């Protein structure tokens, strides 16, 4: 058989078949001890993509029979990473442990981030709830005030009067006829004062509203201190000189007051203060009170006994001493009680 053209050419020398320096050149076929005309059946190592480069170089060196003894050939090169996977060299167990540690760290990080998100979200939610409650309360309060001020449910329907003796309660209730139907929050102090100003016997008063439609008025009437005899007749007056009543005769228990200067003088004010300081049982026996000056107050009791009071100072102490003297010596048994010096009273 005719050989193909170029078959007789000697095989090209590989870089690994070159003889070391100082040795005769010998082709690879002679070194292997085979006929150059024979085709070698020795298996040629096949390099895979995953085989480390150090192992591939060692296989080629063993196949070619190179006698290089460079100690750096046994170390893996810097590119000894498996091609295609990009994985670090090392035992598989260490790699799995590193991956698990990385996964655990990632999970811990995510858990921490979720906790932080929940914490800040909870805080903001609480702030929103607080603001919502405050705003809702204010809105409800404004709504209630608006309903109370303008709704007919809070309109005045009843006026209750307490504390009156000389003033008829029906007259006081009738004085509020103009404000009946007005919402309670819209009834101010001026309306109440205008309704009660027509009653001079009222000394003080207090009001209270009871929803939905009741107005309570508590009245303190003026306390009379005596009767003043004027040209027009008798006038029952209080300590301020306000005429309470014009009786035809002196009421029982009300003394006749005789002073200089009338109700505007200092003598009247001193007598009024003395009369108001007397106990009820002593005042019931008082028939007459006079005062030339503010320091010369005199009283007359039933039975004809007189009382030298003096000034209006220490009136409470003088009243206590006078009551004790009257119990010890009734007015019908003595002619005079002198309490102008309450620490040294005199009975005659």
């Amino acid at each position: 058989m005719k050989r193909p053209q170029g078959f007789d050419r000697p095989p090209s020398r590989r870089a690994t078949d070159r003889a070391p320096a100082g040795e005769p050149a010998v082709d690879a076929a002679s070194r292997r001890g085979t006929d150059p005309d024979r085709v070698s059946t020795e298996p040629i190592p096949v390099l895979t993509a995953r085989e480390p480069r150090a192992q591939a170089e060692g296989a080629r060196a063993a196949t070619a029979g190179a006698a290089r003894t460079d100690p750096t050939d046994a170390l893996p090169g810097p590119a000894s990473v498996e091609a295609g996977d990009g994985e670090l060299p090392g035992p598989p167990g260490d790699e799995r442990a590193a991956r698990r540690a990385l996964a655990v760290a990632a999970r811990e990080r995510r858990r921490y981030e979720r906790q932080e998100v929940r914490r800040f979200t909870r805080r903001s939610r609480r702030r929103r709830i607080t603001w919502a409650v405050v705003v809702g309360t204010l809105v409800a309060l404004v709504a209630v005030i608006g309903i109370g001020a303008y709704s007919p449910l809070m309109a005045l329907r009843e006026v209750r009067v307490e504390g009156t003796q000389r003033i008829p309660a029906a007259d006081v209730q009738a004085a509020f006829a103009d404000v009946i139907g007005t919402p309670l929050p819209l009834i101010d102090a001026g309306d109440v004062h205008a309704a009660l100003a027509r009653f001079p016997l009222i000394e003080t008063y207090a009001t209270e509203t009871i929803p939905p439609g009741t107005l309570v008025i508590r009245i303190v009437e003026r306390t009379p201190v005596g009767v003043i005899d004027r040209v027009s007749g008798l006038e029952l007056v209080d300590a301020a000189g306000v005429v309470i009543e014009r009786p035809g005769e002196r009421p029982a228990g009300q003394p006749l007051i005789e002073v200089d200067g009338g109700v505007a003088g200092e003598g009247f004010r001193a007598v009024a203060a003395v009369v108001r300081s007397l106990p009820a049982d002593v005042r019931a026996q008082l028939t007459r009170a006079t005062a030339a000056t503010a320091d010369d107050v005199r009283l007359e009791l039933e039975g004809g006994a007189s009382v030298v009071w003096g000034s209006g100072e220490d009136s409470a102490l003088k009243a206590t001493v006078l009551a004790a003297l009257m119990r010890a010596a009734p007015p019908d048994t003595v002619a005079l009680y002198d309490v102008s010096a309450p620490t040294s009273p005199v009975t005659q």
Side-chain angles (χ1 to χ4, degrees):
M1 175 182 292
K2 187 179 181 180
R3 296 176 183 269
Q5 186 179 358
F7 187 79
D8 293 335
R9 294 180 182 177
S12 63
R13 186 181 299 273
R14 298 182 183 178
T16 57
D17 293 338
R18 295 175 182 174
E23 294 184 3
V26 181
D27 59 3
S30 301
R31 190 177 300 159
R32 288 192 299 266
T34 58
D35 187 357
D37 295 336
R38 294 179 58 186
V39 178
S40 175
T41 59
E42 183 179 354
I44 299 175
V46 180
L47 298 179
T48 60
R50 293 182 175 271
E51 187 174 3
R53 182 175 299 176
Q55 298 177 3
E57 292 178 356
R60 285 196 299 271
T63 303
R68 291 184 302 175
T69 59
D70 190 357
T72 59
D73 293 341
L75 297 178
S80 60
V81 179
E82 297 181 1
D85 286 347
E87 298 177 354
L88 295 175
D94 294 344
E95 182 179 352
R96 286 195 296 270
R99 290 182 177 179
R100 283 196 299 269
L102 184 60
V104 169
R107 285 197 299 271
E108 292 296 331
R109 178 65 182 178
R110 288 194 297 270
R111 184 182 299 107
Y112 173 77
E113 292 177 352
R114 288 195 297 269
Q115 291 176 355
E116 290 297 309
V117 169
R118 283 196 297 268
R119 183 166 65 88
F120 285 101
T121 304
R122 188 182 304 110
R123 184 178 302 173
S124 61
R125 184 166 58 250
R126 288 178 180 175
R127 285 198 297 266
R128 289 196 299 269
I129 292 174
T130 302
W131 278 108
V133 171
V134 172
V135 173
T137 302
L138 293 178
V139 172
L141 182 61
V142 171
V144 169
I145 293 176
I147 293 174
Y150 301 103
S151 173
L153 297 176
M154 299 289 289
L156 176 62
R157 291 184 292 271
E158 178 187 3
V159 177
R160 189 185 304 170
V161 181
E162 299 177 357
T164 58
Q165 295 178 356
R166 294 183 177 88
I167 305 173
D171 295 347
V172 178
Q173 293 173 347
F176 287 87
D178 295 339
V179 295
I180 296 294
T182 304
L184 291 179
L186 298 182
I187 299 176
D188 56 10
D191 298 333
V192 177
H193 181 75
L196 298 178
R198 67 190 70 176
F199 302 98
L201 295 182
I202 297 178
E203 185 175 2
T204 60
Y205 65 88
T207 60
E208 178 185 1
T209 56
I210 302 178
T214 302
L215 176 64
V216 179
I217 302 175
R218 296 182 175 89
I219 295 175
V220 177
E221 294 181 345
R222 295 183 180 276
T223 303
V225 295
V227 178
I228 295 179
D229 190 2
R230 296 183 182 273
V231 178
S232 59
L234 298 177
E235 293 180 352
L236 183 65
V237 296
D238 68 345
V242 177
V243 178
I244 297 175
E245 188 180 352
R246 291 182 171 84
E249 58 183 11
R250 182 177 68 86
Q254 300 298 333
L256 180 64
I257 298 176
E258 296 177 357
V259 295
D260 295 337
V263 296
E266 295 181 356
F268 175 80
R269 291 193 293 270
V271 169
V274 170
V275 172
R276 296 191 66 171
S277 67
L278 294 174
D281 56 344
V282 176
R283 184 177 176 182
Q285 303 179 53
L286 185 63
T287 59
R288 188 167 176 263
T290 62
T293 63
D295 298 329
D296 185 22
V297 178
R298 291 178 176 268
L299 307 176
E300 291 185 4
L301 303 174
E302 292 178 353
S306 299
V307 180
V308 179
W309 194 273
S311 67
E313 298 179 358
D314 299 327
S315 292
L317 178 59
K318 294 177 181 179
T320 303
V321 172
L322 177 60
L325 295 176
M326 292 175 64
R327 287 193 297 271
D332 55 354
T333 62
V334 298
L336 179 68
Y337 300 102
D338 189 350
V339 294
S340 58
T343 57
S344 302
V346 176
T347 303
Q348 297 179 355

